[in-house]
């Protein structure tokens, strides 16, 4: 009878087409995917009759959100997420967890903007807030997965 001792599990990186790509490249691809999905979400809302007019704090009236505005917004704000992911990949002890916790908190904080948008219909505020969640639901998991080692 032989007794085998359990071997320590080796830490391996996630397999897949993006697992070996640079974090910044995965970030760009995730951002493009998030921007497309979020813009499609906005088109559905427009088709359902949601007015796409919102005002910034201090504005006296709402302005139209142009077609492509959601796409551009995701591109703009995701740059910060990509920079955060690159920095965490290099220096954080647990980059995927830190990235996820930070981006979920920032997404929750971003919901305050639509909630307090003056001269903006409630339905538009809801679509704006939901669009933040939609974008994060696409971008964050893709980047977090790239940052995450998989234990087998």
């Amino acid at each position: 009878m032989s007794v085998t001792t359990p071997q320590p599990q080796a830490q391996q990186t996630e397999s897949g087409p993006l697992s070996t790509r640079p974090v910044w490249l995965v970030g760009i691809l995730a951002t493009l995917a998030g921007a497309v999905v979020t813009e499609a979400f906005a088109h559905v809302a427009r088709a359902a009759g949601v007015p796409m007019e919102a005002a910034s704090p201090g504005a006296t009236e709402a302005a139209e959100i142009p077609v492509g505005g959601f796409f551009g917004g995701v591109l703009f704000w995701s740059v910060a997420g990509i920079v955060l992911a690159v920095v965490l990949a290099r220096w954080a002890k647990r980059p995927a967890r830190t990235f996820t916790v930070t981006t979920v908190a920032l997404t929750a904080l971003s919901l305050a903007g639509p909630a307090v948008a003056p001269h903006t219909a409630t339905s538009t505020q809801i679509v704006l807030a939901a669009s933040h969640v939609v974008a994060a639901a696409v971008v964050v998991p893709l980047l977090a997965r790239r940052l995450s080692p998989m234990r087998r």
Side-chain angles (χ1 to χ4, degrees):
M1 181 166 139
S2 68
V3 177
T4 58
T5 57
Q7 298 296 318
Q9 293 183 353
Q11 187 173 348
Q12 297 179 347
T13 57
E14 181 74 27
S15 63
L18 300 179
S19 64
T20 59
R21 303 287 186 230
V23 173
W24 64 265
L25 179 58
V26 174
I28 289 171
L29 296 173
T31 296
L32 290 173
V36 168
V37 170
T38 305
E39 186 66 29
F41 172 75
H43 282 291
V44 170
R46 283 180 203 276
V50 175
M52 287 297 154
E53 295 180 344
S56 299
T60 57
E61 62 183 42
E64 183 173 347
I65 301 168
V67 171
F70 288 80
F71 187 94
V74 173
L75 292 180
F76 181 82
W77 289 107
S78 291
V79 169
I82 294 169
V83 170
L84 176 64
V86 169
V87 167
L88 292 175
R90 180 159 177 111
W91 289 295
K93 183 176 180 181
R94 295 171 31 181
R97 184 180 187 333
T98 305
F99 178 79
T100 301
V101 168
T102 303
T103 54
V104 167
L106 290 172
T107 301
L109 184 61
S110 78
L111 300 178
V116 300
H119 314 293
T120 304
T122 302
S123 59
T124 306
Q125 290 174 319
I126 292 168
V127 167
L128 289 170
S131 72
H132 291 205
V133 175
V134 168
V138 174
V139 177
V140 172
L142 290 172
L143 267 167
R145 185 174 209 179
R146 170 56 187 86
L147 294 171
S148 179
M150 184 175 79
R151 296 196 183 268
R152 291 187 183 228

